[in-house]
Amino acid sequence: MTLESKIPAGDIATKWTQYKSTVPLVNPANKRQLEIIVVGTGLAGASAAATLAEMGYKVKAFCFQDSPRRAHSIAAQGGINAAKNYQNDGDSVYRLFYDTIKGGDYRAREANVHRLAECSTSIIDQCVAQGVPFAREYGGTLSNRSFGGTQVQRTFYAAGQTGQQLLLGAYSGLERQVGLGNVKMYARHEMIEVVKIDGKARGIIARNLVTGELERHFGHAVLLCTGGYGNVFYLSTNAMGSNVTAAWKAHKAGAYFGNPCFTQIHPTCIPVSGHYQSKLTLMSESLRNDGRIWVPKKQNDDRHPNDIPEDERDYYLERRYPAFGNLVPRDIASRAAKERCDAGYGVGQSKMAVYLDFKYNMMQKYGRTEASKLNIANPDDETLIRLGKEVIKEKYGNLFDMYKQITDEDPYEVPMRIYPAVHYTMGGLWVDYDLMTNVPGMYALGEANFSDHGANRLGASALMQGLADGYFVIPITIGNYLSKEIHTKPISTDHEAFVAAEKAANDRIQQLMSIHGTRSVESYHRELGLIMWNKCGMARNEKGLKEAIAEIQALRADFYKNVRIPGSINEFNPELDKAGRVADFLELGELMCIDALNRNESCGGHFREEYQTEEGEAMRDDENYMYVAAWENKGDTWELHKEELKYENIKIQQRSYK
Amino acid sequence: MSKLMKLNLKVWRQKNTNSAGNFEEYKVDASPDMSFLEMFDVLNEQLIETGKEPVAFDHDCREGICGMCSMVIDGRPHGPKQGVTTCQLHMRSFNDGDTITVEPWRADGFPVIKDLTVNRSAFDRIIAAGGFISTNAGNAVDANSVLIPKDVADEAFEAATCIGCGACVSACKNASAMLFVGAKVTQLSKLPQGKPERETRVVAMVNQMDAEGFGACTNTGACAAECPKQIPLSVIANLNREYIGAKMNGK
Amino acid sequence: MKLLSFLFTSSIGRKVLMAVTGLSLVAFLLVHAGINACIFFNDGGETFNHAAEFMAHNWLIRSAEIGLFLGLLLHIVQGLSLTASNNQKRSSKYGASAGNANSKWYSRSMGILGSLLLIFLVMHLKHFWVVSRFTDAIQETAGSTLFDEMVVVFADPLPVFVYVIGCISLAYHLLHGFQSAFQSLGINHPAYSPIIKSIGAGFSIIVPLVFAAMPIAMHLGWIK
């Protein structure tokens, strides 16, 4: 099977507009006869479900949480990009497109990214109309800030809770449709199997997590909006429940998995403090607007950070990347932190941390401005700190509180200690321009697909993609498929394909429950995470990846012999839910290593130690690897398919932020 | 590594919605740097290792924003510390040797599913009844075409930070959901975009709230005192005002 | 009437009715306390009797009294039924109590405080109101005036005790109720609410204190 990305012909700037006006449509009467299943209710899922229901389709939405409002999009902090150019600083759709492609280290699809940049402006309009309380200036206009990898201010935000506000907006739209009877909502349900009939996706098997019952659901199309798989690393900034299961079942049912090894390690997270740790907490990238990252110039310097004088501090990002400084993209900032810590300059008890220091900007940037507003000439340091602290508090108060809560240290007084942590996965199900996987009728939206961020995602772009896909892309592109399905009558869930899919799902559950081993699910997950982090994490090499593959295979075999799942099937049993998810991670982990091993280059978040410049920067191999690696599952092995990437509108060069 | 604390736990165990529950006692060693939920992870691993059934509790993001975690700790939702959720509560807020009682949210509007897990779908139904602005994707005008004064935007935002955890209901002696409903009504009625349907919205939401079996507010202030996002009591006054206005207008 | 039906059917409406009737009772208390305070002229009840006479025979006051009684009745019935229905919203009770960590005990005890007040009120009405309004029998039973009646009633320590308990209940009932009524009516403003709360607190202390001072003073013979 060849991969057809189905990118419409024409000039990149008008391609999407033209496509929108020529794509086949479904008339309103027919829409009411068509059923769409949406799995996941984060930004992509909630916005898609709401919008499709507004258009007249019959929608069924599923989420594993107790309410659609709890999807992990809610935890996104910093902001959402849009090429509004409200700041008059030279922003444009093209610039956002360019920044995103470059930020992704030239491994994203041009046409999709341009469309994303085009949709970005409408997203802000839509969210404001819904009542999302974005931050505003005194004049009543919207406020913006900067994020990594860009030189304009195009990030819209709502304090440090932008994801929450955007998701609640989409959720309110979704609930409105639930109230109107256009969406049927299934909370505490997990999709555990795809139903395919004549090669097309026709439904899912979902497990009611409260009763344990398996349910069959038919749909003319199935949309997977199930987020990323960062939890394969056990410790990540993802929610505890975030999982790959729905996407993985789709993959096993024939959908190709694109660039699985492209993982984003976020540079500013609170470091690990103990073995019992269950998750890592992000400190928003927006903090890098005002925080300066440094380590001591001396190795193993045990002095208190406030006792280390200015000239003994190494502001290594500003030193290495003077043009972007502390606002380099995430992959670069993360690697630089790891480099310093590995070289013995790390700080804190574990020595696996660097400082993020607000004192300079607190005093010199905000303190001085405020002092000048108050007509204080020659303010002393104390005054500057006092005045600057108020501004910092207003901008980042909730993040500072969160930091203090977790570490018991006051970041207004002492620099934050931060270290990179797994945050986002650029890889995901392979999709074409319509966001359809290679299985007809099955779509993947948001983080669950691979398409827009290449090998590294820029900050404030995930929210943008999720909402673009849900509000503005899928409502148009799905017509291309469903317009041909108007004669398909709803298929009875007694159809043999449903029966077979349910049996397969049931067999898997029975198998897990009959192991009766001795080790907890959690312990396997933790062990898998360690393998992944050490050998398929921020830096990878051939030897390590090969070892990892063997170790994962062994761990998986052990899992099916020794795992202990308490309780029974037909009840609320979170351990069983977790077991199913970890079983899928144990397969995905192997594929990620295989993909990382295959890609003999360094690009974005994928850093192969063998392929770096003398200065330690990622060295791409455009000649051999400028493609999307789309993996087809063949039982225990995988077959690689390649989608060549063509750059017709952007000149490819070595990514430089110096 | 900080010293481990020895804790006695009294945890509510209930097989399912229809069965009666009871407290069971456990001992667990915890580090002061653990979160309360990580302490429960440790307890659960112990239980699984010894062939017992782990305690079912809701949790997801573990950074205080999803609103899923929901334990009443020593009589107080999300524990003794103000402005945090259970997942953000660290064991350093307790002392070595403490006995800690842990229960589910208790309210007829939130039936127990199992142990410490409750069903909060009533909140979703309240939102579905009216907690939205009726606008379809594609209808919006330019975001800066409606100017919103900063203080109005800030006020709406403050109300909008509600995470829908239900601590307000669980803290209230009447199991009233008015802080939750008030927060949403306040957010949407303050903003110019939300004004056109403010009357129908508040009436629909209050009707649904009453139908779900939540009590009436008697202004004890327990909800706001326990709210992990510190939503102020003024949102309930605002809800009352909106509701009275709508009713007096014949809505 | 349909317009006002929400006052009896919805959770917020019922609270609004509590607030409106409560505030009208607050107004009554002010007048009542003012007139009663006339005894402190210590003129053998002359000023007081004069005022009481006026209240008992002015037709405007008498008609307002009907409204007041209706309000009182609504406040009692609604209060009892609201408390009962609120108490039914949590079938399974908590094993551990938060104590006063998140709210004041008297805010949580309005039903009990109100019931205590009701018991007191029955006794109080029997002592004075029934006598002054419906019988011309004051002369025959006790003395010649309402003041004389007070002297007789408060000679006995038991009613004095009950009245003091009633006044304490009233104080706490008002301490919560006064400011709570404004909140129920939707009045909560960063500038004005602190003022309302201060006035409420002052009112809740001063008015019951004035009331309690009467039986005590009379019992101890300070007022003759």
mmCIF file of all heavy atoms in Angstrom, chain A residues 54 67 70 84 86 125 128 131 142 171 188 240-241 278-279 405-406 564 571, chain B residues 15 38 48-49 58 60-63 66 88 92 124 137 142-144 164 187 193:
data_model
loop_
_atom_site.group_PDB
_atom_site.id
_atom_site.type_symbol
_atom_site.label_atom_id
_atom_site.label_comp_id
_atom_site.label_asym_id
_atom_site.label_seq_id
_atom_site.Cartn_x
_atom_site.Cartn_y
_atom_site.Cartn_z
ATOM 1 N N GLU A 54 -23.006 20.581 15.689
ATOM 2 C CA GLU A 54 -23.622 21.842 15.243
ATOM 3 C C GLU A 54 -24.018 21.752 13.773
ATOM 4 O O GLU A 54 -25.028 22.307 13.338
ATOM 5 C CB GLU A 54 -22.622 23.006 15.401
ATOM 6 C CG GLU A 54 -22.421 23.465 16.835
ATOM 7 C CD GLU A 54 -21.142 24.303 17.009
ATOM 8 O OE1 GLU A 54 -20.520 24.684 15.989
ATOM 9 O OE2 GLU A 54 -20.778 24.544 18.168
ATOM 10 N N SER A 67 -15.516 13.020 33.384
ATOM 11 C CA SER A 67 -16.217 14.085 32.675
ATOM 12 C C SER A 67 -15.350 14.521 31.504
ATOM 13 O O SER A 67 -14.114 14.514 31.609
ATOM 14 C CB SER A 67 -16.435 15.279 33.608
ATOM 15 O OG SER A 67 -16.679 16.439 32.854
ATOM 16 N N ARG A 70 -12.243 16.935 31.848
ATOM 17 C CA ARG A 70 -10.999 16.645 32.544
ATOM 18 C C ARG A 70 -9.868 16.188 31.629
ATOM 19 O O ARG A 70 -8.783 15.867 32.104
ATOM 20 C CB ARG A 70 -11.236 15.591 33.614
ATOM 21 C CG ARG A 70 -12.403 15.918 34.517
ATOM 22 C CD ARG A 70 -12.234 15.462 35.917
ATOM 23 N NE ARG A 70 -13.476 15.479 36.661
ATOM 24 C CZ ARG A 70 -13.977 16.567 37.241
ATOM 25 N NH1 ARG A 70 -13.334 17.715 37.159
ATOM 26 N NH2 ARG A 70 -15.118 16.498 37.898
ATOM 27 N N LYS A 84 -2.199 36.768 14.452
ATOM 28 C CA LYS A 84 -3.098 37.914 14.406
ATOM 29 C C LYS A 84 -2.348 39.209 14.107
ATOM 30 O O LYS A 84 -2.944 40.175 13.650
ATOM 31 C CB LYS A 84 -3.813 38.058 15.765
ATOM 32 C CG LYS A 84 -4.971 37.084 15.970
ATOM 33 C CD LYS A 84 -6.181 37.517 15.160
ATOM 34 C CE LYS A 84 -7.469 36.898 15.686
ATOM 35 N NZ LYS A 84 -8.603 37.244 14.790
ATOM 36 N N TYR A 86 -1.550 41.386 16.181
ATOM 37 C CA TYR A 86 -2.109 42.492 16.970
ATOM 38 C C TYR A 86 -0.999 43.380 17.530
ATOM 39 O O TYR A 86 -1.245 44.511 17.923
ATOM 40 C CB TYR A 86 -2.930 41.934 18.154
ATOM 41 C CG TYR A 86 -4.308 41.420 17.784
ATOM 42 C CD1 TYR A 86 -4.984 40.551 18.637
ATOM 43 C CD2 TYR A 86 -4.947 41.822 16.613
ATOM 44 C CE1 TYR A 86 -6.250 40.078 18.334
ATOM 45 C CE2 TYR A 86 -6.217 41.347 16.304
ATOM 46 C CZ TYR A 86 -6.867 40.477 17.163
ATOM 47 O OH TYR A 86 -8.119 40.016 16.867
ATOM 48 N N ASP A 125 -10.774 34.039 17.526
ATOM 49 C CA ASP A 125 -12.108 34.628 17.399
ATOM 50 C C ASP A 125 -13.166 33.701 17.991
ATOM 51 O O ASP A 125 -14.041 34.122 18.755
ATOM 52 C CB ASP A 125 -12.445 34.892 15.920
ATOM 53 C CG ASP A 125 -11.435 35.806 15.251
ATOM 54 O OD1 ASP A 125 -10.744 36.543 15.988
ATOM 55 O OD2 ASP A 125 -11.330 35.780 14.014
ATOM 56 N N VAL A 128 -12.980 33.517 21.857
ATOM 57 C CA VAL A 128 -13.493 34.725 22.502
ATOM 58 C C VAL A 128 -15.020 34.732 22.439
ATOM 59 O O VAL A 128 -15.700 35.030 23.425
ATOM 60 C CB VAL A 128 -12.892 35.994 21.858
ATOM 61 C CG1 VAL A 128 -13.639 37.232 22.309
ATOM 62 C CG2 VAL A 128 -11.417 36.117 22.223
ATOM 63 N N GLY A 131 -16.612 32.844 25.111
ATOM 64 C CA GLY A 131 -16.476 33.315 26.487
ATOM 65 C C GLY A 131 -15.180 32.923 27.163
ATOM 66 O O GLY A 131 -15.093 32.937 28.384
ATOM 67 N N LEU A 142 -6.802 42.318 23.397
ATOM 68 C CA LEU A 142 -6.169 41.089 23.855
ATOM 69 C C LEU A 142 -4.676 41.288 24.059
ATOM 70 O O LEU A 142 -4.033 42.053 23.345
ATOM 71 C CB LEU A 142 -6.423 39.961 22.843
ATOM 72 C CG LEU A 142 -7.870 39.493 22.838
ATOM 73 C CD1 LEU A 142 -8.223 38.865 21.511
ATOM 74 C CD2 LEU A 142 -8.114 38.516 23.971
ATOM 75 N N TYR A 171 -15.535 22.418 25.817
ATOM 76 C CA TYR A 171 -16.413 21.541 26.612
ATOM 77 C C TYR A 171 -17.816 22.136 26.715
ATOM 78 O O TYR A 171 -18.815 21.422 26.620
ATOM 79 C CB TYR A 171 -15.776 21.357 27.990
ATOM 80 C CG TYR A 171 -16.705 20.922 29.113
ATOM 81 C CD1 TYR A 171 -17.124 19.610 29.238
ATOM 82 C CD2 TYR A 171 -17.119 21.846 30.069
ATOM 83 C CE1 TYR A 171 -17.947 19.220 30.290
ATOM 84 C CE2 TYR A 171 -17.945 21.469 31.118
ATOM 85 C CZ TYR A 171 -18.363 20.164 31.224
ATOM 86 O OH TYR A 171 -19.176 19.788 32.254
ATOM 87 N N ARG A 188 -16.313 7.891 31.346
ATOM 88 C CA ARG A 188 -15.815 6.652 31.964
ATOM 89 C C ARG A 188 -15.998 5.473 31.018
ATOM 90 O O ARG A 188 -16.457 4.398 31.415
ATOM 91 C CB ARG A 188 -16.510 6.387 33.300
ATOM 92 C CG ARG A 188 -16.153 7.386 34.418
ATOM 93 C CD ARG A 188 -16.485 6.805 35.777
ATOM 94 N NE ARG A 188 -16.513 7.776 36.843
ATOM 95 C CZ ARG A 188 -15.462 8.064 37.637
ATOM 96 N NH1 ARG A 188 -14.296 7.506 37.420
ATOM 97 N NH2 ARG A 188 -15.590 8.939 38.611
ATOM 98 N N MET A 240 -2.115 10.960 34.671
ATOM 99 C CA MET A 240 -1.900 9.554 34.989
ATOM 100 C C MET A 240 -2.632 8.638 34.011
ATOM 101 O O MET A 240 -2.180 7.547 33.707
ATOM 102 C CB MET A 240 -2.387 9.264 36.412
ATOM 103 C CG MET A 240 -1.727 10.084 37.475
ATOM 104 S SD MET A 240 0.053 9.939 37.470
ATOM 105 C CE MET A 240 0.220 8.304 38.190
ATOM 106 N N GLY A 241 -3.775 9.088 33.538
ATOM 107 C CA GLY A 241 -4.577 8.226 32.676
ATOM 108 C C GLY A 241 -4.230 8.333 31.199
ATOM 109 O O GLY A 241 -4.697 7.527 30.391
ATOM 110 N N SER A 278 5.153 10.037 40.964
ATOM 111 C CA SER A 278 4.201 9.492 39.999
ATOM 112 C C SER A 278 4.110 10.326 38.747
ATOM 113 O O SER A 278 3.684 9.867 37.711
ATOM 114 C CB SER A 278 2.818 9.406 40.636
ATOM 115 O OG SER A 278 2.394 10.700 41.036
ATOM 116 N N LYS A 279 4.501 11.580 38.851
ATOM 117 C CA LYS A 279 4.445 12.401 37.641
ATOM 118 C C LYS A 279 5.353 13.602 37.802
ATOM 119 O O LYS A 279 5.816 13.903 38.900
ATOM 120 C CB LYS A 279 3.023 12.833 37.343
ATOM 121 C CG LYS A 279 2.556 14.043 38.094
ATOM 122 C CD LYS A 279 1.460 14.751 37.303
ATOM 123 C CE LYS A 279 2.026 15.771 36.346
ATOM 124 N NZ LYS A 279 1.149 16.061 35.240
ATOM 125 N N GLN A 405 4.535 24.864 46.399
ATOM 126 C CA GLN A 405 3.754 23.781 46.957
ATOM 127 C C GLN A 405 4.488 22.452 46.835
ATOM 128 O O GLN A 405 4.502 21.643 47.745
ATOM 129 C CB GLN A 405 2.406 23.732 46.213
ATOM 130 C CG GLN A 405 1.411 22.789 46.784
ATOM 131 C CD GLN A 405 1.114 23.124 48.229
ATOM 132 O OE1 GLN A 405 1.064 24.284 48.618
ATOM 133 N NE2 GLN A 405 0.966 22.091 49.041
ATOM 134 N N ILE A 406 5.114 22.249 45.685
ATOM 135 C CA ILE A 406 5.756 20.958 45.429
ATOM 136 C C ILE A 406 7.136 20.865 46.072
ATOM 137 O O ILE A 406 7.498 19.847 46.646
ATOM 138 C CB ILE A 406 5.818 20.711 43.901
ATOM 139 C CG1 ILE A 406 4.392 20.511 43.365
ATOM 140 C CG2 ILE A 406 6.694 19.514 43.573
ATOM 141 C CD1 ILE A 406 4.289 20.453 41.876
ATOM 142 N N ARG A 564 0.107 -8.990 38.355
ATOM 143 C CA ARG A 564 -1.008 -9.283 39.255
ATOM 144 C C ARG A 564 -2.043 -8.169 39.152
ATOM 145 O O ARG A 564 -1.748 -7.010 39.424
ATOM 146 C CB ARG A 564 -0.527 -9.396 40.703
ATOM 147 C CG ARG A 564 -1.696 -9.420 41.700
ATOM 148 C CD ARG A 564 -1.242 -9.445 43.131
ATOM 149 N NE ARG A 564 -0.723 -10.768 43.478
ATOM 150 C CZ ARG A 564 -0.229 -11.055 44.683
ATOM 151 N NH1 ARG A 564 -0.179 -10.136 45.615
ATOM 152 N NH2 ARG A 564 0.224 -12.254 44.942
ATOM 153 N N GLU A 571 -16.569 -4.913 37.335
ATOM 154 C CA GLU A 571 -16.724 -3.905 38.376
ATOM 155 C C GLU A 571 -15.778 -2.752 38.043
ATOM 156 O O GLU A 571 -14.983 -2.841 37.112
ATOM 157 C CB GLU A 571 -16.372 -4.493 39.754
ATOM 158 C CG GLU A 571 -14.922 -4.892 39.874
ATOM 159 C CD GLU A 571 -14.505 -5.224 41.296
ATOM 160 O OE1 GLU A 571 -15.194 -4.789 42.226
ATOM 161 O OE2 GLU A 571 -13.485 -5.909 41.474
ATOM 162 N N LYS B 15 -17.939 -1.195 48.245
ATOM 163 C CA LYS B 15 -17.804 -2.030 47.051
ATOM 164 C C LYS B 15 -18.412 -1.380 45.811
ATOM 165 O O LYS B 15 -17.812 -1.354 44.754
ATOM 166 C CB LYS B 15 -18.461 -3.391 47.327
ATOM 167 C CG LYS B 15 -18.326 -4.416 46.231
ATOM 168 C CD LYS B 15 -17.398 -5.564 46.659
ATOM 169 C CE LYS B 15 -17.119 -6.532 45.515
ATOM 170 N NZ LYS B 15 -15.942 -6.154 44.715
ATOM 171 N N GLU B 38 0.360 10.202 46.073
ATOM 172 C CA GLU B 38 1.507 9.278 45.980
ATOM 173 C C GLU B 38 1.567 8.399 47.229
ATOM 174 O O GLU B 38 1.948 7.228 47.148
ATOM 175 C CB GLU B 38 2.811 10.068 45.774
ATOM 176 C CG GLU B 38 2.931 10.545 44.334
ATOM 177 C CD GLU B 38 3.997 11.617 44.101
ATOM 178 O OE1 GLU B 38 4.559 12.158 45.079
ATOM 179 O OE2 GLU B 38 4.251 11.929 42.927
ATOM 180 N N ILE B 48 -1.794 -4.504 47.017
ATOM 181 C CA ILE B 48 -1.724 -5.455 45.903
ATOM 182 C C ILE B 48 -0.721 -6.558 46.229
ATOM 183 O O ILE B 48 -0.989 -7.738 46.033
ATOM 184 C CB ILE B 48 -1.346 -4.733 44.590
ATOM 185 C CG1 ILE B 48 -2.468 -3.783 44.167
ATOM 186 C CG2 ILE B 48 -1.077 -5.740 43.469
ATOM 187 C CD1 ILE B 48 -2.110 -2.832 43.050
ATOM 188 N N GLU B 49 0.439 -6.156 46.779
ATOM 189 C CA GLU B 49 1.464 -7.144 47.124
ATOM 190 C C GLU B 49 0.955 -8.173 48.120
ATOM 191 O O GLU B 49 1.330 -9.333 48.064
ATOM 192 C CB GLU B 49 2.688 -6.445 47.725
ATOM 193 C CG GLU B 49 3.714 -6.035 46.679
ATOM 194 C CD GLU B 49 4.766 -5.112 47.263
ATOM 195 O OE1 GLU B 49 5.075 -5.249 48.465
ATOM 196 O OE2 GLU B 49 5.244 -4.232 46.520
ATOM 197 N N ASP B 58 -10.266 8.585 42.443
ATOM 198 C CA ASP B 58 -10.155 9.313 41.186
ATOM 199 C C ASP B 58 -8.941 10.233 41.224
ATOM 200 O O ASP B 58 -8.670 10.886 42.234
ATOM 201 C CB ASP B 58 -11.406 10.170 40.961
ATOM 202 C CG ASP B 58 -12.425 9.461 40.082
ATOM 203 O OD1 ASP B 58 -12.008 8.599 39.284
ATOM 204 O OD2 ASP B 58 -13.618 9.781 40.191
ATOM 205 N N ASP B 60 -6.119 12.286 38.066
ATOM 206 C CA ASP B 60 -5.612 12.220 36.698
ATOM 207 C C ASP B 60 -4.396 13.112 36.489
ATOM 208 O O ASP B 60 -3.289 12.625 36.404
ATOM 209 C CB ASP B 60 -6.713 12.521 35.683
ATOM 210 C CG ASP B 60 -6.387 11.967 34.304
ATOM 211 O OD1 ASP B 60 -5.643 10.984 34.227
ATOM 212 O OD2 ASP B 60 -6.866 12.510 33.298
ATOM 213 N N CYS B 61 -4.599 14.438 36.458
ATOM 214 C CA CYS B 61 -3.466 15.280 36.047
ATOM 215 C C CYS B 61 -2.389 15.360 37.118
ATOM 216 O O CYS B 61 -1.226 15.519 36.813
ATOM 217 C CB CYS B 61 -3.961 16.680 35.695
ATOM 218 S SG CYS B 61 -4.304 17.718 37.127
ATOM 219 N N ARG B 62 -2.778 15.264 38.355
ATOM 220 C CA ARG B 62 -1.866 15.382 39.489
ATOM 221 C C ARG B 62 -1.098 16.697 39.492
ATOM 222 O O ARG B 62 0.047 16.764 39.929
ATOM 223 C CB ARG B 62 -0.900 14.190 39.550
ATOM 224 C CG ARG B 62 -1.656 12.896 39.788
ATOM 225 C CD ARG B 62 -0.881 11.923 40.623
ATOM 226 N NE ARG B 62 -1.671 10.719 40.866
ATOM 227 C CZ ARG B 62 -1.253 9.706 41.593
ATOM 228 N NH1 ARG B 62 -0.064 9.742 42.131
ATOM 229 N NH2 ARG B 62 -2.022 8.666 41.781
ATOM 230 N N GLU B 63 -1.704 17.733 38.955
ATOM 231 C CA GLU B 63 -1.101 19.049 39.114
ATOM 232 C C GLU B 63 -2.165 20.094 39.424
ATOM 233 O O GLU B 63 -1.985 21.281 39.169
ATOM 234 C CB GLU B 63 -0.242 19.428 37.915
ATOM 235 C CG GLU B 63 -0.922 19.280 36.565
ATOM 236 C CD GLU B 63 0.050 19.544 35.409
ATOM 237 O OE1 GLU B 63 0.356 20.712 35.180
ATOM 238 O OE2 GLU B 63 0.493 18.577 34.754
ATOM 239 N N CYS B 66 -7.163 19.343 36.729
ATOM 240 C CA CYS B 66 -8.214 18.576 36.038
ATOM 241 C C CYS B 66 -9.468 18.453 36.893
ATOM 242 O O CYS B 66 -10.559 18.272 36.373
ATOM 243 C CB CYS B 66 -7.706 17.208 35.608
ATOM 244 S SG CYS B 66 -7.575 16.002 36.938
ATOM 245 N N GLN B 88 -2.111 18.079 45.143
ATOM 246 C CA GLN B 88 -1.071 19.076 45.433
ATOM 247 C C GLN B 88 -0.759 19.152 46.923
ATOM 248 O O GLN B 88 0.082 19.952 47.339
ATOM 249 C CB GLN B 88 -1.535 20.462 44.993
ATOM 250 C CG GLN B 88 -1.714 20.613 43.506
ATOM 251 C CD GLN B 88 -2.287 21.979 43.190
ATOM 252 O OE1 GLN B 88 -3.381 22.318 43.594
ATOM 253 N NE2 GLN B 88 -1.533 22.776 42.474
ATOM 254 N N ARG B 92 4.142 16.724 53.975
ATOM 255 C CA ARG B 92 4.760 17.577 54.989
ATOM 256 C C ARG B 92 3.715 18.403 55.737
ATOM 257 O O ARG B 92 4.023 19.016 56.765
ATOM 258 C CB ARG B 92 5.828 18.480 54.347
ATOM 259 C CG ARG B 92 5.355 19.484 53.337
ATOM 260 C CD ARG B 92 6.525 20.305 52.804
ATOM 261 N NE ARG B 92 7.175 19.654 51.669
ATOM 262 C CZ ARG B 92 6.864 19.899 50.389
ATOM 263 N NH1 ARG B 92 5.926 20.779 50.084
ATOM 264 N NH2 ARG B 92 7.495 19.285 49.414
ATOM 265 N N ASP B 124 -21.940 17.916 34.790
ATOM 266 C CA ASP B 124 -21.999 17.989 33.327
ATOM 267 C C ASP B 124 -23.412 18.329 32.862
ATOM 268 O O ASP B 124 -23.602 19.112 31.932
ATOM 269 C CB ASP B 124 -21.578 16.648 32.695
ATOM 270 C CG ASP B 124 -20.093 16.378 32.863
ATOM 271 O OD1 ASP B 124 -19.320 17.344 32.952
ATOM 272 O OD2 ASP B 124 -19.712 15.193 32.912
ATOM 273 N N ALA B 137 -19.221 27.258 15.633
ATOM 274 C CA ALA B 137 -17.923 27.533 15.024
ATOM 275 C C ALA B 137 -18.157 28.197 13.669
ATOM 276 O O ALA B 137 -19.007 27.762 12.899
ATOM 277 C CB ALA B 137 -17.141 26.246 14.865
ATOM 278 N N ASP B 142 -14.032 39.252 14.668
ATOM 279 C CA ASP B 142 -12.640 39.389 15.093
ATOM 280 C C ASP B 142 -12.559 39.578 16.606
ATOM 281 O O ASP B 142 -13.322 40.350 17.205
ATOM 282 C CB ASP B 142 -11.967 40.563 14.392
ATOM 283 C CG ASP B 142 -10.497 40.636 14.759
ATOM 284 O OD1 ASP B 142 -9.705 39.909 14.138
ATOM 285 O OD2 ASP B 142 -10.151 41.388 15.698
ATOM 286 N N ALA B 143 -11.601 38.894 17.206
ATOM 287 C CA ALA B 143 -11.517 38.835 18.669
ATOM 288 C C ALA B 143 -11.356 40.208 19.311
ATOM 289 O O ALA B 143 -11.785 40.422 20.427
ATOM 290 C CB ALA B 143 -10.363 37.927 19.074
ATOM 291 N N ASN B 144 -10.726 41.133 18.602
ATOM 292 C CA ASN B 144 -10.516 42.456 19.188
ATOM 293 C C ASN B 144 -11.643 43.437 18.851
ATOM 294 O O ASN B 144 -11.568 44.612 19.202
ATOM 295 C CB ASN B 144 -9.176 43.039 18.731
ATOM 296 C CG ASN B 144 -8.116 42.905 19.819
ATOM 297 O OD1 ASN B 144 -8.439 42.533 20.950
ATOM 298 N ND2 ASN B 144 -6.886 43.208 19.482
ATOM 299 N N GLY B 164 -14.370 22.340 38.675
ATOM 300 C CA GLY B 164 -15.481 21.391 38.705
ATOM 301 C C GLY B 164 -15.203 20.141 39.518
ATOM 302 O O GLY B 164 -15.690 19.061 39.204
ATOM 303 N N GLN B 187 -18.935 33.972 35.288
ATOM 304 C CA GLN B 187 -18.032 34.108 34.138
ATOM 305 C C GLN B 187 -18.794 34.578 32.898
ATOM 306 O O GLN B 187 -18.406 35.537 32.241
ATOM 307 C CB GLN B 187 -17.355 32.763 33.837
ATOM 308 C CG GLN B 187 -16.420 32.818 32.628
ATOM 309 C CD GLN B 187 -16.239 31.466 31.948
ATOM 310 O OE1 GLN B 187 -16.523 30.418 32.525
ATOM 311 N NE2 GLN B 187 -15.751 31.490 30.727
ATOM 312 N N GLN B 193 -20.072 38.882 25.617
ATOM 313 C CA GLN B 193 -20.536 37.809 24.728
ATOM 314 C C GLN B 193 -21.630 36.976 25.374
ATOM 315 O O GLN B 193 -22.446 36.353 24.699
ATOM 316 C CB GLN B 193 -19.399 36.842 24.370
ATOM 317 C CG GLN B 193 -18.140 37.432 23.838
ATOM 318 C CD GLN B 193 -17.157 37.728 24.956
ATOM 319 O OE1 GLN B 193 -17.453 38.506 25.855
ATOM 320 N NE2 GLN B 193 -15.988 37.120 24.907
#
